[in-house]
Amino acid sequence: RRDQTVLAGTLRVSVPDGMAPTLTRSLLAFCQEYPAVDLELIGENRMADVAAREADIGVRLTRSTSNVLVEKHLANFRFALFASADYVRRHLSTRRLGKGEAAAHPFVGLDERWKALPHEKWMRALGATRFAFRSSSMDAIEEAVRYGVGLAAFLEKDPRSAGLIRIETETDGPSQSFYLVYHRDLRKQPHVRAAVASIEAYMRAHR
């Protein structure tokens, strides 16, 4: 039976910038069920120090090494290559990027600080030589792709890819794991438990 405690206050959730739309959707049920809790979802390109309570909940790309954090594996999502319908019509009507063809197309990606990320390395392994647009913001990358600037890698389940055309590639995109962490002192906090349950339920349903 649902905890009858009236939940109120503020809950801070730190997520990777690229996952902000997905995590927003995962918490909509929580917002509706607990309207007195104010939710702050921070999409950022740094890993918040949840152990130091910079956030109540953190979603991360890597495992935690802290012994004060509770960690849960959320999901594995795979990257794929996408382009706008207009770009496909003008430059890639086959919707397939064959071997040796990537160099003929401009790509869109994260700025140079993130070139070691698996999906950035994968685009270069496909043969990408020119990145016509780079940004630290996934929202900016999405806009550039929709405008037809070039090809980009998005998670298959990313709401940003809605309306874009998936491009078949010679090799599958890399898989990315996501982990949820929160301070062990918050284990009995009803609002934290409820938010964690909401995120986990959404991720299970959309794997």
Side-chain angles (χ1 to χ4, degrees), residues 21-207:
T22 298
L23 270 298
T24 297
R25 295 186 180 196
S26 77
L27 286 163
L28 293 179
F30 171 84
C31 291
Q32 292 174 346
E33 192 167 2
Y34 303 103
V37 176
D38 296 328
L39 182 66
E40 292 184 10
L41 190 140
I42 306 105
E44 49 192 346
N45 290 321
R46 59 180 284 272
M47 193 162 64
D49 190 346
V50 180
R53 306 291 284 275
E54 287 184 352
D56 300 306
I57 296 172
V59 174
R60 298 174 166 179
L61 309 181
T62 58
R63 299 288 305 269
S64 171
T65 58
S66 173
N67 60 6
V68 302
L69 297 181
V70 177
E71 179 180 275
K72 294 173 175 282
H73 177 258
L74 283 178
N76 294 320
F77 292 135
R78 188 171 294 280
F79 282 93
L81 201 63
F82 292 88
S84 71
D86 183 61
Y87 186 93
V88 167
R89 179 182 59 80
R90 290 184 293 114
H91 303 296
L92 201 55
S93 60
T94 62
R95 300 188 179 189
R96 178 174 180 81
L97 195 67
K99 186 175 182 180
E101 295 178 353
H105 296 273
F107 281 71
V108 177
L110 291 167
D111 65 45
E112 287 287 340
R113 291 174 297 169
W114 310 104
K115 65 182 180 180
L117 289 178
H119 69 285
E120 292 285 320
K121 293 170 68 174
W122 173 61
M123 287 190 287
R124 293 196 299 275
L126 289 174
T129 58
R130 180 185 175 225
F131 283 81
F133 184 90
R134 288 186 180 276
S135 175
S136 62
S137 166
M138 288 301 298
D139 289 338
I141 289 172
E142 177 198 355
E143 285 301 309
V145 174
R146 291 193 184 280
Y147 195 75
V149 172
L151 312 175
F154 293 100
L155 292 170
E156 292 176 333
K157 303 291 186 178
D158 191 339
R160 291 186 179 92
S161 65
L164 298 177
I165 305 298
R166 179 169 175 168
I167 307 301
E168 297 300 318
T169 54
E170 291 290 302
T171 58
D172 291 336
S175 179
Q176 177 66 66
S177 296
F178 292 91
Y179 303 90
L180 180 150
V181 297
Y182 56 95
H183 200 286
R184 65 185 182 188
D185 290 349
L186 299 179
R187 283 177 294 185
K188 295 184 179 181
Q189 294 294 319
H191 66 308
V192 173
R193 295 205 318 267
V196 169
S198 181
I199 294 170
E200 288 183 308
Y202 183 90
M203 291 299 191
R204 281 197 303 270
H206 292 83
R207 285 176 181 171

